[in-house]
């Protein structure tokens, strides 16, 4: 079921990969239509979320929900789906980030139920 949900997410125009990973950085499931090092994505995404959480606490901004990293060759969005699992979305340049955020929010409960 989880693979099917991630497959639905990569059908969104501009999304090239979707992965669920644990806070430890290990990939639980992923779907991609590009060649990439998914283990590297997991390790770096986990670190990014941890750093963002620490920043929110240190600056009194509250709990982490989502981070968007805009890169030369496309954005990467990281969202908590449960206390222990992270959704990573890898997108292409020019992807509609509002649409991607909407789809992530819409599918969060489905992802949680599938875990």
């Amino acid at each position: 079921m989880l693979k099917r949900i991630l497959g639905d997410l990569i059908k969104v125009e501009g999304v090239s990969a979707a992965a669920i990973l644990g806070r430890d950085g290990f990939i639980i499931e992923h779907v991609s239509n590009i060649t990439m090092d998914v283990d590297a994505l997991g390790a770096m995404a986990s670190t990014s979320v941890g750093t963002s959480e620490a920043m929110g606490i240190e600056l009194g901004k509250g709990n982490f929900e989502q981070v968007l990293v805009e890169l030369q060759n496309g954005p990467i969005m990281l969202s908590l789906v449960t206390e222990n699992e992270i959704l990573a979305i890898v997108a292409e340049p020019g992807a509609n980030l509002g649409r991607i955020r909407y789809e992530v929010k819409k599918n969060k409960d489905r992802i949680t139920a599938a875990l």
Side-chain angles (χ1 to χ4, degrees):
M1 182 65 165
L2 191 54
K3 197 168 199 83
R4 180 183 304 160
I5 297 166
L6 296 177
D8 289 344
L9 288 172
I10 69 164
K11 290 177 185 172
V12 174
E13 186 176 349
V15 175
S16 50
I20 297 291
L21 56 126
R23 286 188 170 269
D24 56 7
F26 287 107
I27 298 296
I28 296 168
E29 188 64 82
H30 79 283
V31 176
S32 176
N33 57 24
I34 60 170
T35 301
M36 61 180 240
D37 184 345
V38 70
D39 292 324
L41 172 66
M44 290 182 275
S46 175
T47 300
S48 294
V49 168
T51 301
S52 297
E53 284 178 320
M55 184 173 19
I57 291 167
E58 187 65 32
L59 299 177
K61 292 303 214 177
N63 295 328
F64 173 84
E65 293 180 15
Q66 187 176 73
V67 66
L68 174 67
V69 182
E70 293 193 42
L71 303 163
Q72 181 179 2
N73 293 321
I76 298 173
M77 185 180 296
L78 306 172
S79 306
L80 282 182
V81 290
T82 72
E83 189 175 313
N84 296 310
E85 285 86 22
I86 301 162
L87 170 63
I89 300 287
V90 178
E92 298 301 318
N96 183 335
L97 299 176
R99 171 75 193 279
I100 295 170
R101 286 183 63 158
Y102 168 77
E103 292 296 334
V104 166
K105 187 174 184 176
K106 182 175 88 171
N107 285 287
K108 186 176 178 179
D109 289 340
R110 287 179 64 207
I111 293 169
T112 301
L115 290 167

